[in-house]
């Protein structure tokens, strides 16, 4: 293959994370694989998890994602977390995709045989029926034989002050109690780490934490590992003479003769341009600075005194090199943005045990 960058998914690390989250939540997991599995490669994640008992099913955000995962025949349910338009519903129902509904109009548009999860808005104010409207809507769906689950989404379960999350769970309580015979879920990754097992729940939906990235104050709750290692090839190695500048704008000038490697990875591939001046790589066991402005397709790194040659693969970030949270911090972005921003020029690979 002609890829010059690759993202390697560690299947064993992913399975370990999911098992730990499953044990803490006390229920099976509805694993979010939206946005190309948070940049990790949806095909690789499904392949790595389809036989895991900890994983009940998969959650996606877009109809195209739902169709893609359903076409993989994962042997597990697929839930679309956003409302489907009427002209999308028949195709999704034919694929066996569970749809989310929260309005009488969406319920009325459902084709026969479609199965749904009722979304309840308990404080996120993004999607969902208000709790007082959710119970009659759920009863109508149950009468039609179409209600498979009820759920809500916690807006503040990943922050130290859990008052708002507890208030949301209390607002959700009468809805979940009204439908004890269907799947019930509320906890995202922050919810699983912050609360552990929640009463009345049958599923949990840990997203980014499944892939080994947790908020700083929750990192010690479980031994989670980043499961993705990003690597890129060295295109050239050359000497920058003392006093010469490197990259656009001449932001960095060599204080001495410096051996620089040009790494074939840039902001078009997912490395934040705003990490300029802060970014580092772990090379041969040493942290080395990225030199000057990060470019669209490449960046330069100091390899003085190291055995680095054109064609070598260097770790950009990963569990055993620079932590992805460090790269996100240097670039002024959230880890979500960093990982979902990994470009199509990066090959996704699955490393099996």
């Amino acid at each position: 293959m002609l890829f010059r960058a690759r993202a390697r998914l560690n299947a064993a690390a992913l399975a370990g994370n999911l098992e730990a989250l499953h044990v803490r939540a006390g229920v099976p997991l509805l694993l979010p694989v939206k946005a190309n599995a948070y940049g990790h490669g949806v095909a690789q994640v499904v392949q790595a998890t389809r036989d895991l008992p900890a994983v009940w099913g998969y959650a996606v955000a877009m109809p195209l994602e739902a169709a893609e995962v359903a076409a993989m025949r994962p042997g597990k349910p697929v839930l679309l977390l956003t409302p489907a338009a009427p002209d999308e519903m028949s195709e999704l129902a034919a694929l066996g995709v569970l749809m989310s509904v929260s309005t009488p109009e969406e319920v009325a548009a459902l084709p026969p045989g479609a199965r749904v999860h009722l979304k309840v808005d308990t404080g996120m104010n993004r999607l969902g029926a208000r709790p007082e409207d959710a119970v009659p809507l759920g009863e109508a769906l149950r009468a039609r034989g179409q209600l498979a689950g009820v759920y809500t989404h916690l807006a503040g379960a990943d922050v130290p002050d859990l008052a708002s999350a507890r208030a949301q769970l209390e607002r959700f309580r009468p809805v979940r109690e009204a439908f004890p015979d269907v799947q019930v879920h509320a906890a995202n990754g922050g919810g699983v780490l912050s609360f552990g097992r929640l009463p009345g729940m049958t599923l949990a939906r840990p997203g980014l934490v499944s892939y080994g990235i947790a908020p700083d104050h929750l990192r010690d709750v479980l031994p989670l590992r980043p499961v993705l290692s990003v690597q890129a090839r060295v295109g050239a190695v050359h000497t920058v003479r003392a006093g010469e500048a490197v990259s656009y704008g001449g932001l960095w000038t060599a204080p001495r003769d410096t051996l620089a490697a040009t790494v074939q990875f840039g902001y078009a591939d997912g490395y934040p341009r705003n990490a300029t001046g802060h970014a580092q790589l772990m090379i041969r066991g040493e942290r080395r600075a990225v030199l000057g402005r990060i470019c669209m397709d490449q960046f330069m790194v100091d390899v003085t005194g190291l055995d680095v040659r054109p064609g070598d693969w260097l770790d950009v970030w990963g569990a055993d090199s620079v932590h992805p949270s460090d790269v996100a911090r240097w670039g002024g972005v959230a880890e979500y943005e960093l990982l979902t921003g990994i470009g199509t020029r990066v090959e996704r690979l699955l490393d099996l045990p």
Side-chain angles (χ1 to χ4, degrees), residues 60 79-84 89 98-102 106 110 115-119 127 151:
V60 297
L79 172 64
L80 176 62
L81 296 169
T82 58
M89 288 182 171
L98 295 164
M99 287 177 272
S100 292
V101 296
S102 57
E106 291 164 2
L110 287 171
R115 298 276 286 167
V116 304
H117 283 210
L118 174 63
K119 176 68 178 288
L127 291 170
Y151 73 105

Side-chain angles (χ1 to χ4, degrees), residues 56 98 115-118 141 145-150 181-184:
W56 176 85
L98 295 164
R115 298 276 286 167
V116 304
H117 283 210
L118 174 63
L141 285 163
Q146 293 185 297
L147 185 66
V150 294
D181 53 342
V182 301
Q183 299 288 356
V184 183

